Every structure is written in structure tokens, then in C-alpha cells.
Amino acid sequence: MTQRTVYVNGDYVAERDAKVSVFDRGFLLADGVYEVSSVLDGKLIDFSGHMQRLKRSAGELEMSLPWSDETLLEIHRELIRRNALEEGMVYLQLTRGSAGDRDFAYPDASTPPTLVLFTQAKALVDSRSGSEGIRVATQPDWRWTRRDIKTVQLLYPAMAKMAAKAAGADDAWLVENGMVTEGASNNAWILTHDGVLVTRELSHAILPGITRAVVLEIAAALSLDVEARAFSVAEAQSARECFVTSASSFVTPVIAIDEVMIGDGRPGDVSRRLRSAYIEESRRRAI
Ligand code: PDD
């Protein structure tokens, strides 16, 4: 595989030369936050939403983010340019940096944060999961209780995805007190037989998805009824359609939950319509 150019603390370097301290708090304590922004036609989509959420995540953790939106946009664009990325994602990670030792206490303000960005090429529009849908398996939601902060503590979501794959599914839906919180790395939606789109209301229980917010705008423009509330696994299994949203999957139909087929087991019309509307709108708004 060709070497990517990645960004580490002010420098653009070949990935093999990219280095972060072994004492970095992101490595030792998962003391870091991240964003994944998608790229279509070499341009960023939903960028300002991702940067707003990054600021919020850092703020909730009292982590400094001494870069303006304009500077972060320049870094994203420079990486896209240097890697000739047409379609895929830019991953950004910000950690509380390294004070040169391991300590639970936050270092003082003289310790600079660590900022790393890299690109990932991926076919986002013409993807098999997008056209054929995915199967999900439910798993208990055993993450911490501040899931609204996009931290790099992703061990449990990784375990849940592995358990879902072991059960023959493509991804996991996480469940707490009988209600679906969200997917392991996406927001969960259903369409009821009355034609109402349902996705969980924002709280500390889920990540406020940037794709979710744009799909809510599109649903309103298409005059679809929407309810922001929790739904159970049983309600989802008997729904007309189910789908997930995220920066890296856009709108992706869910065709089975724990081996129970949703509808006729094929991607639903509303899910497909929202997927193409989201792609069209994103292309229009891309910067
Ligand atoms: N995941 N919920 C969780 C737990 C997530 O990790 C994500 C995104 C979302 C969707 O958010 P957005 O629409 O802003 O991408 C919801 C990213 C893509 C990831 O971890 O790779």
C-alpha cells in the first residue's frame, strides 16, 4: 500500500515517520476525542457540524483546542490534496498530550495537546452495504454514561461489533433497559407502519450524530413525520424499515435485527430515498 501523508502536531509526514510519545494520554488513558469527516468529490461534507461537535467534546473534558475552524479546515484540505483523496474520510484525533509520565491528574496548561489527522480512502456512495443493507445483532450497551462526548474509548464498541460479527451480523445495535440506544458507531432509526420516522432523542445516552442532524433536516424538507424518542428492539423488529446514519455510512438500510427480517428483508423505499437525498444534499453543500 502506498504511504499516506499524515498530519502530526504541525507537520505533514509520511505515515511511517509519524510518531507520538508513549506517554501520550490518548495512548495511556484514552484521554482524547475525535471526529470523522467524509469526503466526496475531494470536498468535505458536514464540516462545520463536525468541528462544532469537536469543540463541544473538548469543552466537556476541559481539553484545550488551540486551533481555529479555519486552521482545521486548511489542515483537512491540505491532507486531502496531498493524498489525492476523492472519496473517503478524514480522521482527526485530539488528545490531552504528554506530560512525560503516567499520571491520572490532568497536566497543567503548559502541556500542548496532540493533534493527529489522516485520510482513509473508501467508496462511500457505491457501497454494497448502502445498496443491499446490513444485518445487525443486539448487544448490551456497556459503554460509559457520557456517550454524547466523542472520545477515543472505543474498546467496548469494538467488542460489540466483534460479538455481532460472531453472531453472523454486520454490526451491533446497543440496548439499554430494553431500548435501543444507537449502533456501535452510528445512530439508529426506524420507520413505523404509520410512516413516522423515529430516532432516539439527544441526551448523554447517545452521540449527537452530525449525519442524524442533516437527515432530520432532509426529512422535514420531504414533509416526513419525525418523533425523537427511544424505541425497543421488538418495535424495531416489527417496523416497516430500519436504517443507521453516520459520516462513514451516510444512510444505510438495516434489513435484519437478530435474524428477524425487517419488512420483506430488502432495503426500504424511505431509507433509499433518504440515502440518495443525503448524498445529493451533501454534494451540494460540500466545501
Ligand atoms: N462514528 N454514534 C456513535 C457511537 C458513533 O461512533 C458515530 C460516528 C455516530 C454517528 O455520528 P456522525 O453522523 O456524526 O458520524 C453515532 C464514526 C463514523 C466512527 O467512529 O468512525
Side-chain angles (χ1 to χ4, degrees), residues 135-154:
R135 300 164 171 274
V136 301
T138 59
Q139 294 294 323
D141 197 338
W142 284 343
R143 297 173 300 165
W144 76 331
T145 50
R146 287 303 306 275
R147 303 160 193 154
D148 56 311
I149 309 172
K150 197 163 174 63
T151 78
V152 298
Q153 316 173 72
L154 296 176

